[in-house]
Amino acid sequence: FPSSPIASSSSHPSSILSSSSRRRSIESVTISHKIDPIRYHIAELLNILVPLTALDQSPSSTSKAKLVQCDKTRALIHRIHSLFSSNGVGDLTPHFVSLLLTIHPQTVTRTLKEPPSSDPLNSFPPCGPPPVKMTRKAIQDRLTASFTSETREKVEYFAVHKRLSLKQVKQRTEEWIGEGDKDRDPSISVIRVLLHGMEFSFVKLQSRTHVYMDPGLCKLQANFLRIMKELRTQGNLMIWSCDETWVHKGMRPRIGWQDMRAVKQPLTFLKNGLTAGNSAQWKKGERLVIVACLSYEGFRYPKVWRTGRVDDGGDYHAEMNAEEFENYIETVFIALRDEAQKEKKTPVLQMDNAKYHSRVRDKMPCQNDRKEVMSKWLKDHKMPCPDSWKKKEMIEALKQLDRRDYNVYIVDEMAKKYGITLVRTPPYMAEYAPIEYGWSSMKKAMADVIDTTDDGAVIRTKLIDWMLKFPANTASQYMEKCKRSRIDEGGISFDPRQLTVEEVVEEADALIDDDDDDEVFDLEEMSEMSVEF
């Protein structure tokens, strides 16, 4: 019986008889051949089959109609026709088979014109269902499972440490193939599917592994996760994430589709009124600095500064000072406090350790400061500092003091004043700052929001409007993603000194603002800036 399902019933009146005309044809055959019992019974059977079947209405000349029959179907058509012909009713074969097998009568006629198979089939079990098309992931999983664990471990080592192309991996198959797979000679395509099945991708490498291998940075990570976990156990929190970034009017995505013909023949394309191909940020223009908060409701209290400077590729932090930020963050503290009180929640603000976030009032000198700075600070605090002291003696005197008793962080003082719990995110670990995902979304949308003809005032208006319309459900997803980050991996108790190079944890799957390189302070000093319970 045919392997294909009943075809669609698109109408083609010119290529097939309608049901009513076919019935009249069969009835006339029945009346005129009542004396022939075989023809009579076949005609009666056709009358019964007509209302129960849905014929293939597609044209017989289409490739679909040609493929509608399998070897078994063709053999069955020839066998039925042979049986009908031996009983003198061969002319009824197309109508009978068409109704019985739900294929086009002209397909049956064409099949009968073809010679029967030289190797006739003696049995006709139902054809098997068409094979299920496997997804790419299913193909990768099946092929990966076909290799031994030894092979997978060795090829993983190759992928991480050798940094070879697929062609080079293929050439050195003997070095990574396991004993259980010695009889296999995988092709380049198989190796590609194997690596993809092991969740490897050939992409631009990111230098972030060192972040999770540094004991000091991991100590700060554990401290941050511990603080947030303890806060969340209390429940009923209102968490905001605060940060800054920058934009310029020429900003465009660094990756995009490129017409390589235009790249190879730019003058030809320009002469025909076409573009010579997409270019990266060829005209940067005025740089603007943006500061905002992100909550479960979206962006909160965005502010955009026009710096008046053209983006020269330098650090934008030079255009943001502590006084500007402190004035802004005080308005955020007041708004966060008022909203939290209204909803009876505990206000929490997450913030990184940028230099202007951590201005110290009357900062205690460190050993890198000049001797005159140390001497003045000691004398201003009524501490012994004879003029005969050398710098080494001053450093020893400062080491006897506790920095926490003297270094007063202005933003932290403001947070305590307004009842805000301030938590600082660990440096270089953007996966803990939800607003970093918001910045990434904003910069991806720049091409749709900003035109290269816009001046700074127009850009500022458009950016603020875009942030205020940012969907709350997307912001909630970013907040929840950061909430779960690294907890399941054991980040609270993680100690990188327990790992070997091969066991380094996976790099963070986060959207990182690569241009936002915040200054890293002394680790002990940052630890002192943690929340006290």
Side-chain angles (χ1 to χ4, degrees), residues 139-140 143-144 188-198:
I139 294 173
Q140 292 173 357
L143 188 139
T144 303
I188 291 179
S189 299
V190 170
I191 295 172
R192 180 189 292 109
V193 175
L194 173 62
L195 289 173
H196 286 173
M198 297 170 64

Side-chain angles (χ1 to χ4, degrees), residues 235-255:
N236 208 27
L237 301 180
M238 178 175 285
I239 302 177
W240 289 12
S241 174
C242 182
D243 193 28
E244 309 83 30
T245 190
W246 59 273
V247 298
H248 57 75
K249 68 178 182 180
M251 183 174 288
R252 294 296 182 269
R254 296 171 179 165
I255 300 175

